[in-house]
Amino acid sequence: MQPDRASVLAAIAQEVRGCKQCRLHENTTNAVPGAGNPNAEIMFIGEGPGFNEDKQGLPFVGRSGDYLEKLLRLINLRREDVFIGNVVKHRPPENRDPLPDEILACKGFLDRQVEALNPLVIVTLGRFSMARYFPTGKITQIHGQPKFDEQRAYFPLFHPAAVLRNPGLISAMEADFHKLPDLLQEVRSRRAAAQKPPDPPETPDKPVQLSLF
Ligand code: URA
């Protein structure tokens, strides 16, 4: 029997807590493997833990997290309904940007979390998670515009911290969030259509006269 999603995610989280594949674990209090509903339809991927996340071992629990929860409430969701992860799972010193080798060292964990959750929509928050799915994208140009593959939609959004620093982005961020329910519905329909057996070939109304030669 396949292990259930919650067990797979718990096993990944346990590995993350012991991870020493890059320098980031060195001066941290807690790893932040990611948290949320194992059956979530939406997975949010941020950049990396900050001060509060490092203290608590949980993603988005500081000011950015409060704002993310407020945005979720706009569409009648709570943090418990979604899964929230990050590109790197230990806090970069002084909240600096994660380095390419650190992102690479953590990539396998994030890949396995995505595979276990199989979410309908992956929402990228900020540059580093956007780069996973939109390597040449510029957030000011592509925010709120989903990209689809056979499995799901990828939905690039501004990072909540960027919106808090720049209130001029609030209305765009809220408008983008309001697109999420329809986007979920779209992916549900696409998945259902992909599972449907093909229609049988049409039978002609009249028998076709076959040539004798
Ligand atoms: N910012 C992030 O990108 N991730 C967190 O978990 C918290 C703040």
Side-chain angles (χ1 to χ4, degrees):
M1 204 178 73
Q2 293 271 353
D4 62 51
R5 287 177 185 195
S7 319
V8 175
L9 291 166
I12 298 169
Q14 204 47 37
E15 278 182 56
V16 166
R17 290 189 191 99
C19 181
K20 295 187 168 49
Q21 286 186 74
C22 79
R23 65 192 78 70
L24 283 185
H25 72 281
E26 278 165 14
N27 291 306
T28 53
T29 309
N30 286 295
V32 182
N37 189 330
N39 296 312
E41 292 186 315
I42 308 179
M43 177 182 194
F44 288 85
I45 307 180
E47 181 175 317
F51 177 85
N52 294 291
E53 291 76 22
D54 175 64
K55 289 281 161 283
Q56 296 186 41
L58 292 168
F60 280 95
V61 287
R63 279 188 70 221
S64 297
D66 291 344
Y67 183 45
L68 182 58
E69 287 186 17
K70 186 173 162 193
L71 290 162
L72 284 168
R73 282 198 296 275
L74 290 179
I75 52 169
N76 293 321
L77 290 177
R78 297 157 307 152
R79 152 190 296 270
E80 295 75 26
D81 298 318
V82 302
F83 190 92
I84 308 176
N86 276 308
V87 168
V88 294
K89 320 283 194 206
H90 283 98
R91 182 191 181 203
E94 313 301 330
N95 296 346
R96 67 156 167 74
D97 287 347
L99 301 173
D101 67 312
E102 296 160 355
I103 294 172
L104 192 63
C106 242
K107 182 176 180 300
F109 293 129
L110 187 52
D111 291 344
R112 284 162 60 200
Q113 288 173 320
V114 170
E115 193 190 330
L117 284 160
N118 190 19
L120 297 180
V121 178
I122 290 184
V123 179
T124 66
L125 299 172
R127 280 181 293 150
F128 293 94
S129 57
M130 183 182 72
R132 257 175 82 87
Y133 302 107
F134 302 87
T136 58
K138 295 228 178 325
I139 189 64
T140 47
Q141 287 163 12
I142 69 166
H143 71 88
Q145 295 173 41
K147 171 172 104 174
F148 296 87
D149 66 14
E150 305 78 53
Q151 275 107 44
R152 64 182 62 92
Y154 303 90
F155 193 49
L157 294 189
F158 291 113
H159 194 287
V163 182
L164 289 174
R165 277 195 305 272
N166 182 356
L169 297 176
I170 290 175
S171 57
M173 185 68 162
E174 293 189 357
D176 289 347
F177 244 80
H178 279 294
K179 292 181 188 170
L180 266 169
D182 281 352
L183 187 56
L184 278 174
Q185 199 47 49
E186 165 79 29
V187 183
R188 283 189 205 110
S189 309
R190 285 177 182 235
R191 282 199 185 178
Q195 275 172 4
K196 214 174 110 210
D199 291 334
E202 276 184 29
T203 44
D205 295 339
K206 285 194 206 141
V208 180
Q209 180 72 54
L210 292 177
S211 154
L212 288 175
F213 304 102

Short mmCIF file of all heavy atoms in Angstrom, two decimals, residues 148-211:
data_model
loop_
_atom_site.label_atom_id
_atom_site.label_comp_id
_atom_site.label_asym_id
_atom_site.label_seq_id
_atom_site.Cartn_x
_atom_site.Cartn_y
_atom_site.Cartn_z
N PHE A 148 -0.30 26.80 -17.39
CA PHE A 148 -0.84 25.46 -17.13
C PHE A 148 0.10 24.39 -17.69
O PHE A 148 0.72 24.59 -18.72
CB PHE A 148 -2.20 25.28 -17.82
CG PHE A 148 -3.27 26.21 -17.30
CD1 PHE A 148 -3.42 27.48 -17.83
CD2 PHE A 148 -4.12 25.81 -16.28
CE1 PHE A 148 -4.40 28.35 -17.34
CE2 PHE A 148 -5.11 26.66 -15.79
CZ PHE A 148 -5.25 27.93 -16.33
N ASP A 149 0.17 23.24 -17.00
CA ASP A 149 0.68 22.04 -17.66
C ASP A 149 -0.35 20.94 -17.43
O ASP A 149 -1.47 21.24 -17.00
CB ASP A 149 2.12 21.67 -17.21
CG ASP A 149 2.21 21.26 -15.76
OD1 ASP A 149 1.17 21.01 -15.14
OD2 ASP A 149 3.34 21.19 -15.24
N GLU A 150 -0.01 19.69 -17.72
CA GLU A 150 -1.03 18.62 -17.62
C GLU A 150 -1.53 18.47 -16.19
O GLU A 150 -2.65 18.02 -15.98
CB GLU A 150 -0.49 17.26 -18.07
CG GLU A 150 0.10 17.20 -19.46
CD GLU A 150 1.50 17.78 -19.48
OE1 GLU A 150 2.33 17.35 -18.67
OE2 GLU A 150 1.75 18.70 -20.30
N GLN A 151 -0.67 18.79 -15.22
CA GLN A 151 -1.06 18.54 -13.84
C GLN A 151 -1.81 19.68 -13.18
O GLN A 151 -2.71 19.47 -12.38
CB GLN A 151 0.18 18.28 -12.97
CG GLN A 151 0.67 16.87 -12.98
CD GLN A 151 1.95 16.77 -13.80
OE1 GLN A 151 2.83 17.61 -13.67
NE2 GLN A 151 2.03 15.79 -14.64
N ARG A 152 -1.40 20.92 -13.48
CA ARG A 152 -1.88 22.01 -12.63
C ARG A 152 -1.65 23.38 -13.26
O ARG A 152 -1.16 23.45 -14.39
CB ARG A 152 -1.16 21.97 -11.27
CG ARG A 152 0.34 22.21 -11.35
CD ARG A 152 0.99 22.10 -9.99
NE ARG A 152 0.80 20.75 -9.46
CZ ARG A 152 1.68 19.76 -9.65
NH1 ARG A 152 2.80 19.98 -10.29
NH2 ARG A 152 1.44 18.56 -9.19
N ALA A 153 -1.97 24.41 -12.45
CA ALA A 153 -1.64 25.78 -12.84
C ALA A 153 -0.55 26.32 -11.92
O ALA A 153 -0.50 25.96 -10.74
CB ALA A 153 -2.87 26.67 -12.74
N TYR A 154 0.31 27.16 -12.49
CA TYR A 154 1.35 27.85 -11.73
C TYR A 154 0.97 29.33 -11.78
O TYR A 154 0.71 29.87 -12.87
CB TYR A 154 2.73 27.61 -12.36
CG TYR A 154 3.01 26.13 -12.43
CD1 TYR A 154 2.64 25.39 -13.57
CD2 TYR A 154 3.57 25.45 -11.36
CE1 TYR A 154 2.83 24.02 -13.63
CE2 TYR A 154 3.78 24.07 -11.41
CZ TYR A 154 3.40 23.37 -12.55
OH TYR A 154 3.59 22.01 -12.60
N PHE A 155 0.90 29.95 -10.60
CA PHE A 155 0.29 31.28 -10.51
C PHE A 155 1.27 32.22 -9.79
O PHE A 155 1.43 32.13 -8.56
CB PHE A 155 -1.02 31.12 -9.73
CG PHE A 155 -1.95 32.29 -9.80
CD1 PHE A 155 -2.27 32.89 -11.00
CD2 PHE A 155 -2.53 32.78 -8.63
CE1 PHE A 155 -3.15 33.96 -11.04
CE2 PHE A 155 -3.41 33.84 -8.68
CZ PHE A 155 -3.72 34.44 -9.88
N PRO A 156 1.94 33.09 -10.54
CA PRO A 156 2.95 33.95 -9.90
C PRO A 156 2.33 35.18 -9.24
O PRO A 156 1.57 35.92 -9.87
CB PRO A 156 3.84 34.36 -11.09
CG PRO A 156 2.95 34.31 -12.29
CD PRO A 156 1.86 33.29 -12.01
N LEU A 157 2.65 35.37 -7.96
CA LEU A 157 2.15 36.55 -7.24
C LEU A 157 3.33 37.31 -6.63
O LEU A 157 4.41 36.75 -6.43
CB LEU A 157 1.21 36.14 -6.09
CG LEU A 157 -0.11 35.48 -6.46
CD1 LEU A 157 -0.98 35.35 -5.22
CD2 LEU A 157 -0.86 36.26 -7.53
N PHE A 158 3.08 38.58 -6.29
CA PHE A 158 4.08 39.34 -5.55
C PHE A 158 4.32 38.66 -4.20
O PHE A 158 3.43 37.99 -3.65
CB PHE A 158 3.58 40.76 -5.28
CG PHE A 158 3.48 41.63 -6.50
CD1 PHE A 158 2.25 42.06 -6.97
CD2 PHE A 158 4.63 42.03 -7.17
CE1 PHE A 158 2.16 42.86 -8.08
CE2 PHE A 158 4.54 42.83 -8.30
CZ PHE A 158 3.31 43.25 -8.75
N HIS A 159 5.50 38.88 -3.63
CA HIS A 159 5.74 38.40 -2.27
C HIS A 159 4.97 39.30 -1.30
O HIS A 159 4.99 40.53 -1.45
CB HIS A 159 7.24 38.44 -1.95
CG HIS A 159 7.58 37.66 -0.73
ND1 HIS A 159 7.26 38.09 0.53
CD2 HIS A 159 8.18 36.45 -0.57
CE1 HIS A 159 7.65 37.18 1.42
NE2 HIS A 159 8.21 36.18 0.76
N PRO A 160 4.29 38.72 -0.29
CA PRO A 160 3.54 39.57 0.65
C PRO A 160 4.41 40.66 1.28
O PRO A 160 3.93 41.78 1.49
CB PRO A 160 3.06 38.58 1.72
CG PRO A 160 3.01 37.26 1.02
CD PRO A 160 4.10 37.28 -0.02
N ALA A 161 5.68 40.35 1.57
CA ALA A 161 6.55 41.38 2.18
C ALA A 161 6.75 42.55 1.22
O ALA A 161 6.83 43.71 1.65
CB ALA A 161 7.90 40.77 2.57
N ALA A 162 6.82 42.27 -0.07
CA ALA A 162 7.00 43.34 -1.06
C ALA A 162 5.75 44.23 -1.08
O ALA A 162 5.85 45.45 -1.21
CB ALA A 162 7.25 42.75 -2.45
N VAL A 163 4.59 43.61 -0.92
CA VAL A 163 3.34 44.39 -0.92
C VAL A 163 3.27 45.25 0.34
O VAL A 163 2.86 46.42 0.30
CB VAL A 163 2.11 43.46 -1.05
CG1 VAL A 163 0.83 44.27 -1.11
CG2 VAL A 163 2.24 42.58 -2.30
N LEU A 164 3.71 44.68 1.48
CA LEU A 164 3.69 45.45 2.72
C LEU A 164 4.64 46.65 2.63
O LEU A 164 4.35 47.72 3.16
CB LEU A 164 4.08 44.57 3.92
CG LEU A 164 3.05 43.51 4.32
CD1 LEU A 164 3.61 42.60 5.41
CD2 LEU A 164 1.75 44.16 4.80
N ARG A 165 5.75 46.46 1.94
CA ARG A 165 6.71 47.57 1.77
C ARG A 165 6.22 48.60 0.77
O ARG A 165 6.61 49.75 0.82
CB ARG A 165 8.07 47.03 1.26
CG ARG A 165 8.98 46.47 2.32
CD ARG A 165 10.41 46.31 1.78
NE ARG A 165 10.48 45.51 0.57
CZ ARG A 165 10.61 44.19 0.54
NH1 ARG A 165 10.70 43.52 1.66
NH2 ARG A 165 10.67 43.54 -0.60
N ASN A 166 5.37 48.15 -0.14
CA ASN A 166 4.94 49.02 -1.24
C ASN A 166 3.42 48.95 -1.36
O ASN A 166 2.88 48.18 -2.16
CB ASN A 166 5.62 48.54 -2.53
CG ASN A 166 5.27 49.41 -3.70
OD1 ASN A 166 4.44 50.33 -3.59
ND2 ASN A 166 5.87 49.12 -4.84
N PRO A 167 2.69 49.75 -0.55
CA PRO A 167 1.22 49.64 -0.53
C PRO A 167 0.58 49.91 -1.89
O PRO A 167 -0.57 49.52 -2.10
CB PRO A 167 0.79 50.70 0.49
CG PRO A 167 2.02 50.97 1.31
CD PRO A 167 3.20 50.72 0.41
N GLY A 168 1.31 50.49 -2.82
CA GLY A 168 0.78 50.67 -4.17
C GLY A 168 0.47 49.34 -4.85
O GLY A 168 -0.27 49.31 -5.84
N LEU A 169 1.01 48.24 -4.31
CA LEU A 169 0.76 46.93 -4.93
C LEU A 169 -0.46 46.21 -4.34
O LEU A 169 -0.85 45.15 -4.83
CB LEU A 169 1.99 46.01 -4.73
CG LEU A 169 3.31 46.46 -5.38
CD1 LEU A 169 4.44 45.50 -5.02
CD2 LEU A 169 3.15 46.53 -6.90
N ILE A 170 -1.06 46.80 -3.27
CA ILE A 170 -2.14 46.09 -2.57
C ILE A 170 -3.30 45.73 -3.51
O ILE A 170 -3.78 44.60 -3.53
CB ILE A 170 -2.68 46.91 -1.37
CG1 ILE A 170 -1.62 46.95 -0.26
CG2 ILE A 170 -3.98 46.32 -0.82
CD1 ILE A 170 -1.99 47.82 0.93
N SER A 171 -3.73 46.71 -4.31
CA SER A 171 -4.93 46.43 -5.12
C SER A 171 -4.63 45.34 -6.16
O SER A 171 -5.47 44.45 -6.40
CB SER A 171 -5.49 47.69 -5.77
OG SER A 171 -4.51 48.27 -6.55
N ALA A 172 -3.42 45.34 -6.74
CA ALA A 172 -3.07 44.29 -7.71
C ALA A 172 -3.01 42.93 -7.00
O ALA A 172 -3.51 41.92 -7.52
CB ALA A 172 -1.73 44.60 -8.36
N MET A 173 -2.43 42.91 -5.80
CA MET A 173 -2.31 41.64 -5.06
C MET A 173 -3.70 41.08 -4.74
O MET A 173 -3.96 39.89 -4.89
CB MET A 173 -1.51 41.89 -3.78
CG MET A 173 -1.19 40.66 -2.97
SD MET A 173 -0.01 39.59 -3.84
CE MET A 173 0.59 38.58 -2.49
N GLU A 174 -4.59 41.96 -4.30
CA GLU A 174 -5.93 41.48 -3.94
C GLU A 174 -6.69 41.02 -5.19
O GLU A 174 -7.37 39.99 -5.17
CB GLU A 174 -6.71 42.58 -3.20
CG GLU A 174 -6.09 42.85 -1.84
CD GLU A 174 -6.93 43.76 -0.96
OE1 GLU A 174 -7.99 44.25 -1.42
OE2 GLU A 174 -6.51 43.97 0.19
N ALA A 175 -6.53 41.75 -6.28
CA ALA A 175 -7.20 41.34 -7.52
C ALA A 175 -6.67 39.98 -7.97
O ALA A 175 -7.44 39.10 -8.39
CB ALA A 175 -6.98 42.39 -8.61
N ASP A 176 -5.36 39.77 -7.85
CA ASP A 176 -4.78 38.47 -8.22
C ASP A 176 -5.35 37.36 -7.33
O ASP A 176 -5.69 36.27 -7.80
CB ASP A 176 -3.25 38.50 -8.11
CG ASP A 176 -2.59 39.35 -9.19
OD1 ASP A 176 -3.28 39.72 -10.15
OD2 ASP A 176 -1.39 39.66 -9.05
N PHE A 177 -5.44 37.63 -6.03
CA PHE A 177 -5.97 36.61 -5.11
C PHE A 177 -7.40 36.22 -5.47
O PHE A 177 -7.77 35.06 -5.39
CB PHE A 177 -5.90 37.13 -3.67
CG PHE A 177 -4.98 36.32 -2.83
CD1 PHE A 177 -3.62 36.52 -2.88
CD2 PHE A 177 -5.46 35.31 -2.01
CE1 PHE A 177 -2.74 35.74 -2.14
CE2 PHE A 177 -4.60 34.53 -1.26
CZ PHE A 177 -3.24 34.74 -1.32
N HIS A 178 -8.18 37.22 -5.86
CA HIS A 178 -9.58 36.94 -6.21
C HIS A 178 -9.71 36.04 -7.44
O HIS A 178 -10.78 35.51 -7.71
CB HIS A 178 -10.36 38.24 -6.41
CG HIS A 178 -10.81 38.86 -5.11
ND1 HIS A 178 -11.73 38.26 -4.28
CD2 HIS A 178 -10.44 40.00 -4.50
CE1 HIS A 178 -11.92 39.01 -3.21
NE2 HIS A 178 -11.15 40.07 -3.31
N LYS A 179 -8.62 35.88 -8.20
CA LYS A 179 -8.67 34.98 -9.37
C LYS A 179 -8.53 33.51 -8.97
O LYS A 179 -8.79 32.61 -9.77
CB LYS A 179 -7.53 35.31 -10.35
CG LYS A 179 -7.66 36.66 -11.02
CD LYS A 179 -6.46 36.83 -11.98
CE LYS A 179 -6.42 38.24 -12.56
NZ LYS A 179 -5.17 38.48 -13.28
N LEU A 180 -8.08 33.27 -7.74
CA LEU A 180 -7.75 31.88 -7.36
C LEU A 180 -8.94 30.91 -7.41
O LEU A 180 -8.78 29.78 -7.92
CB LEU A 180 -7.12 31.86 -5.97
CG LEU A 180 -5.59 31.90 -5.95
CD1 LEU A 180 -5.07 32.16 -4.53
CD2 LEU A 180 -5.02 30.58 -6.46
N PRO A 181 -10.14 31.28 -6.90
CA PRO A 181 -11.23 30.28 -6.95
C PRO A 181 -11.55 29.83 -8.38
O PRO A 181 -11.73 28.63 -8.62
CB PRO A 181 -12.42 31.03 -6.31
CG PRO A 181 -11.77 32.05 -5.41
CD PRO A 181 -10.52 32.47 -6.14
N ASP A 182 -11.60 30.76 -9.33
CA ASP A 182 -11.89 30.37 -10.72
C ASP A 182 -10.76 29.53 -11.30
O ASP A 182 -10.98 28.61 -12.09
CB ASP A 182 -12.08 31.60 -11.61
CG ASP A 182 -13.46 32.20 -11.44
OD1 ASP A 182 -14.29 31.57 -10.76
OD2 ASP A 182 -13.69 33.31 -11.95
N LEU A 183 -9.55 29.85 -10.90
CA LEU A 183 -8.40 29.09 -11.39
C LEU A 183 -8.47 27.64 -10.90
O LEU A 183 -8.23 26.70 -11.66
CB LEU A 183 -7.12 29.78 -10.92
CG LEU A 183 -5.80 29.26 -11.46
CD1 LEU A 183 -5.79 29.26 -12.98
CD2 LEU A 183 -4.64 30.10 -10.93
N LEU A 184 -8.83 27.47 -9.63
CA LEU A 184 -8.99 26.11 -9.09
C LEU A 184 -10.03 25.35 -9.89
O LEU A 184 -9.84 24.19 -10.25
CB LEU A 184 -9.48 26.18 -7.63
CG LEU A 184 -8.43 26.41 -6.56
CD1 LEU A 184 -9.12 26.59 -5.22
CD2 LEU A 184 -7.46 25.23 -6.50
N GLN A 185 -11.15 26.01 -10.17
CA GLN A 185 -12.23 25.37 -10.91
C GLN A 185 -11.76 24.96 -12.30
O GLN A 185 -12.06 23.87 -12.78
CB GLN A 185 -13.44 26.32 -10.97
CG GLN A 185 -14.74 25.66 -11.30
CD GLN A 185 -14.99 24.38 -10.48
OE1 GLN A 185 -14.85 24.37 -9.26
NE2 GLN A 185 -15.34 23.30 -11.16
N GLU A 186 -11.00 25.84 -12.91
CA GLU A 186 -10.47 25.56 -14.26
C GLU A 186 -9.59 24.30 -14.23
O GLU A 186 -9.70 23.42 -15.09
CB GLU A 186 -9.67 26.79 -14.72
CG GLU A 186 -8.74 26.59 -15.90
CD GLU A 186 -9.47 26.61 -17.24
OE1 GLU A 186 -10.50 27.28 -17.32
OE2 GLU A 186 -9.00 25.92 -18.17
N VAL A 187 -8.73 24.18 -13.22
CA VAL A 187 -7.83 23.01 -13.18
C VAL A 187 -8.63 21.75 -12.84
O VAL A 187 -8.36 20.68 -13.39
CB VAL A 187 -6.65 23.22 -12.20
CG1 VAL A 187 -5.71 22.02 -12.24
CG2 VAL A 187 -5.88 24.48 -12.53
N ARG A 188 -9.64 21.88 -11.96
CA ARG A 188 -10.49 20.71 -11.68
C ARG A 188 -11.12 20.21 -12.97
O ARG A 188 -11.14 19.02 -13.25
CB ARG A 188 -11.61 21.07 -10.69
CG ARG A 188 -11.15 21.17 -9.27
CD ARG A 188 -12.36 21.32 -8.33
NE ARG A 188 -11.96 21.98 -7.10
CZ ARG A 188 -12.31 23.21 -6.74
NH1 ARG A 188 -13.13 23.92 -7.50
NH2 ARG A 188 -11.88 23.72 -5.61
N SER A 189 -11.65 21.14 -13.77
CA SER A 189 -12.29 20.74 -15.04
C SER A 189 -11.28 20.10 -15.98
O SER A 189 -11.57 19.10 -16.63
CB SER A 189 -12.90 21.94 -15.77
OG SER A 189 -13.72 22.66 -14.92
N ARG A 190 -10.09 20.69 -16.05
CA ARG A 190 -9.07 20.12 -16.95
C ARG A 190 -8.70 18.71 -16.52
O ARG A 190 -8.54 17.82 -17.34
CB ARG A 190 -7.81 20.99 -16.95
CG ARG A 190 -7.97 22.26 -17.73
CD ARG A 190 -6.69 23.08 -17.62
NE ARG A 190 -6.84 24.34 -18.33
CZ ARG A 190 -6.01 24.78 -19.28
NH1 ARG A 190 -4.97 24.07 -19.63
NH2 ARG A 190 -6.21 25.93 -19.87
N ARG A 191 -8.55 18.51 -15.20
CA ARG A 191 -8.17 17.16 -14.73
C ARG A 191 -9.30 16.17 -15.01
O ARG A 191 -9.05 15.04 -15.41
CB ARG A 191 -7.86 17.17 -13.23
CG ARG A 191 -6.49 17.73 -12.92
CD ARG A 191 -6.02 17.32 -11.53
NE ARG A 191 -4.75 17.94 -11.17
CZ ARG A 191 -4.13 17.79 -10.01
NH1 ARG A 191 -4.67 17.04 -9.07
NH2 ARG A 191 -2.98 18.38 -9.77
N ALA A 192 -10.55 16.62 -14.80
CA ALA A 192 -11.69 15.72 -15.05
C ALA A 192 -11.75 15.36 -16.53
O ALA A 192 -11.96 14.20 -16.89
CB ALA A 192 -12.98 16.38 -14.60
N ALA A 193 -11.53 16.35 -17.41
CA ALA A 193 -11.58 16.09 -18.86
C ALA A 193 -10.46 15.13 -19.27
O ALA A 193 -10.66 14.26 -20.12
CB ALA A 193 -11.47 17.40 -19.63
N ALA A 194 -9.31 15.26 -18.62
CA ALA A 194 -8.18 14.39 -18.98
C ALA A 194 -8.44 12.95 -18.56
O ALA A 194 -7.90 12.02 -19.16
CB ALA A 194 -6.90 14.91 -18.34
N GLN A 195 -9.28 12.77 -17.52
CA GLN A 195 -9.56 11.40 -17.05
C GLN A 195 -10.68 10.73 -17.81
O GLN A 195 -10.85 9.52 -17.77
CB GLN A 195 -9.95 11.44 -15.57
CG GLN A 195 -8.72 11.41 -14.67
CD GLN A 195 -9.07 11.64 -13.23
OE1 GLN A 195 -10.23 11.74 -12.88
NE2 GLN A 195 -8.05 11.74 -12.40
N LYS A 196 -11.51 11.57 -18.48
CA LYS A 196 -12.69 11.02 -19.18
C LYS A 196 -12.24 10.13 -20.33
O LYS A 196 -11.37 10.52 -21.10
CB LYS A 196 -13.51 12.21 -19.73
CG LYS A 196 -14.99 11.98 -19.72
CD LYS A 196 -15.71 13.24 -20.12
CE LYS A 196 -16.29 13.02 -21.47
NZ LYS A 196 -16.47 14.03 -22.39
N PRO A 197 -12.85 8.92 -20.49
CA PRO A 197 -12.46 8.10 -21.65
C PRO A 197 -12.88 8.80 -22.94
O PRO A 197 -13.87 9.53 -22.95
CB PRO A 197 -13.25 6.79 -21.46
CG PRO A 197 -14.30 7.09 -20.46
CD PRO A 197 -13.90 8.31 -19.68
N PRO A 198 -12.13 8.62 -24.03
CA PRO A 198 -12.49 9.31 -25.27
C PRO A 198 -13.86 8.86 -25.78
O PRO A 198 -14.27 7.73 -25.54
CB PRO A 198 -11.37 8.90 -26.24
CG PRO A 198 -10.73 7.70 -25.64
CD PRO A 198 -11.01 7.72 -24.16
N ASP A 199 -14.57 9.79 -26.46
CA ASP A 199 -15.88 9.43 -27.02
C ASP A 199 -15.70 8.33 -28.06
O ASP A 199 -14.70 8.32 -28.79
CB ASP A 199 -16.50 10.66 -27.71
CG ASP A 199 -16.89 11.70 -26.67
OD1 ASP A 199 -17.15 11.30 -25.51
OD2 ASP A 199 -16.91 12.90 -27.01
N PRO A 200 -16.69 7.37 -28.16
CA PRO A 200 -16.56 6.34 -29.20
C PRO A 200 -16.65 6.99 -30.58
O PRO A 200 -17.26 8.04 -30.72
CB PRO A 200 -17.77 5.43 -28.94
CG PRO A 200 -18.71 6.23 -28.12
CD PRO A 200 -17.92 7.27 -27.39
N PRO A 201 -16.04 6.35 -31.62
CA PRO A 201 -16.10 6.95 -32.95
C PRO A 201 -17.55 7.03 -33.42
O PRO A 201 -18.37 6.17 -33.09
CB PRO A 201 -15.28 5.98 -33.81
CG PRO A 201 -15.13 4.74 -33.01
CD PRO A 201 -15.36 5.08 -31.58
N GLU A 202 -17.86 8.09 -34.18
CA GLU A 202 -19.25 8.26 -34.64
C GLU A 202 -19.60 7.18 -35.65
O GLU A 202 -18.80 6.84 -36.52
CB GLU A 202 -19.39 9.63 -35.30
CG GLU A 202 -19.64 10.70 -34.28
CD GLU A 202 -19.88 12.05 -34.92
OE1 GLU A 202 -20.38 12.07 -36.07
OE2 GLU A 202 -19.55 13.04 -34.29
N THR A 203 -20.83 6.63 -35.51
CA THR A 203 -21.28 5.66 -36.52
C THR A 203 -22.08 6.42 -37.57
O THR A 203 -22.90 7.27 -37.23
CB THR A 203 -22.17 4.58 -35.89
OG1 THR A 203 -23.08 5.22 -35.00
CG2 THR A 203 -21.35 3.55 -35.13
N PRO A 204 -21.83 6.16 -38.86
CA PRO A 204 -22.57 6.90 -39.88
C PRO A 204 -24.06 6.58 -39.83
O PRO A 204 -24.44 5.46 -39.46
CB PRO A 204 -21.94 6.42 -41.19
CG PRO A 204 -21.16 5.20 -40.87
CD PRO A 204 -20.93 5.15 -39.40
N ASP A 205 -24.93 7.59 -40.14
CA ASP A 205 -26.39 7.37 -40.11
C ASP A 205 -26.81 6.34 -41.14
O ASP A 205 -27.59 5.45 -40.88
CB ASP A 205 -27.12 8.69 -40.41
CG ASP A 205 -26.85 9.70 -39.33
OD1 ASP A 205 -26.46 9.26 -38.22
OD2 ASP A 205 -27.00 10.91 -39.58
N LYS A 206 -26.27 6.50 -42.36
CA LYS A 206 -26.68 5.58 -43.43
C LYS A 206 -25.56 4.57 -43.67
O LYS A 206 -24.39 4.95 -43.59
CB LYS A 206 -26.86 6.37 -44.73
CG LYS A 206 -28.10 7.20 -44.76
CD LYS A 206 -28.34 7.64 -46.20
CE LYS A 206 -29.14 8.92 -46.21
NZ LYS A 206 -28.71 9.85 -47.22
N PRO A 207 -25.90 3.31 -43.99
CA PRO A 207 -24.83 2.38 -44.33
C PRO A 207 -24.12 2.88 -45.58
O PRO A 207 -24.74 3.40 -46.50
CB PRO A 207 -25.55 1.06 -44.58
CG PRO A 207 -27.00 1.36 -44.62
CD PRO A 207 -27.23 2.71 -44.07
N VAL A 208 -22.83 2.74 -45.59
CA VAL A 208 -22.05 3.22 -46.73
C VAL A 208 -22.03 2.14 -47.80
O VAL A 208 -21.83 0.96 -47.51
CB VAL A 208 -20.60 3.55 -46.28
CG1 VAL A 208 -19.77 4.04 -47.46
CG2 VAL A 208 -20.62 4.56 -45.15
N GLN A 209 -22.33 2.52 -49.04
CA GLN A 209 -22.29 1.58 -50.15
C GLN A 209 -20.85 1.23 -50.44
O GLN A 209 -20.05 2.08 -50.77
CB GLN A 209 -22.94 2.25 -51.37
CG GLN A 209 -22.97 1.38 -52.60
CD GLN A 209 -23.99 0.26 -52.47
OE1 GLN A 209 -25.17 0.49 -52.19
NE2 GLN A 209 -23.54 -0.97 -52.62
N LEU A 210 -20.53 -0.05 -50.28
CA LEU A 210 -19.14 -0.43 -50.55
C LEU A 210 -18.98 -0.76 -52.04
O LEU A 210 -19.85 -1.38 -52.64
CB LEU A 210 -18.79 -1.68 -49.72
CG LEU A 210 -18.70 -1.49 -48.23
CD1 LEU A 210 -18.42 -2.84 -47.56
CD2 LEU A 210 -17.64 -0.48 -47.85
N SER A 211 -17.89 -0.35 -52.58
CA SER A 211 -17.59 -0.67 -53.97
C SER A 211 -17.25 -2.15 -54.08
O SER A 211 -16.68 -2.74 -53.18
CB SER A 211 -16.43 0.21 -54.41
OG SER A 211 -15.75 -0.42 -55.43
#
